[in-house]
Amino acid sequence: MVSTFVWTKAVAVLKKQIASLGMEFVGEMLSRTDLDEDSDPALQLRTTKPLRLRKILGLLVARRLSG
């Protein structure tokens, strides 16, 4: 039960962080034309999509820092 709470909270925070980049930008990265700046990340992003974006963006940041 605690792990479910922690997981849900972590995904909500991740979605909020990703949304701070701009939902239109997120939509472009996910090839989703239905996302715009008014889209709610809590409703529009499934759990797996933010994790995939985090991985992609993390690799970009890691490359920038190391290069």
Side-chain angles (χ1 to χ4, degrees), residues 35-50:
L35 294 180
D36 59 18
E37 292 306 318
D38 296 325
S39 298
D40 182 1
L43 299 174
Q44 297 295 328
L45 298 176
R46 293 186 179 155
T47 302
T48 56
K49 298 300 181 182

Side-chain angles (χ1 to χ4, degrees), residues 25-55:
F25 174 70
V26 172
E28 288 177 23
M29 290 189 70
L30 295 174
S31 300
R32 287 191 49 191
T33 57
D34 62 318
L35 294 180
D36 59 18
E37 292 306 318
D38 296 325
S39 298
D40 182 1
L43 299 174
Q44 297 295 328
L45 298 176
R46 293 186 179 155
T47 302
T48 56
K49 298 300 181 182
L51 294 175
R52 189 174 123 223
L53 285 174
R54 182 200 56 85
K55 183 177 178 183

Side-chain angles (χ1 to χ4, degrees), residues 9-20 23 26 41-48 50:
K9 187 75 169 171
V11 170
V13 169
L14 181 59
K15 286 179 180 183
K16 186 175 179 179
Q17 288 176 339
I18 289 173
S20 72
M23 287 301 289
V26 172
L43 299 174
Q44 297 295 328
L45 298 176
R46 293 186 179 155
T47 302
T48 56

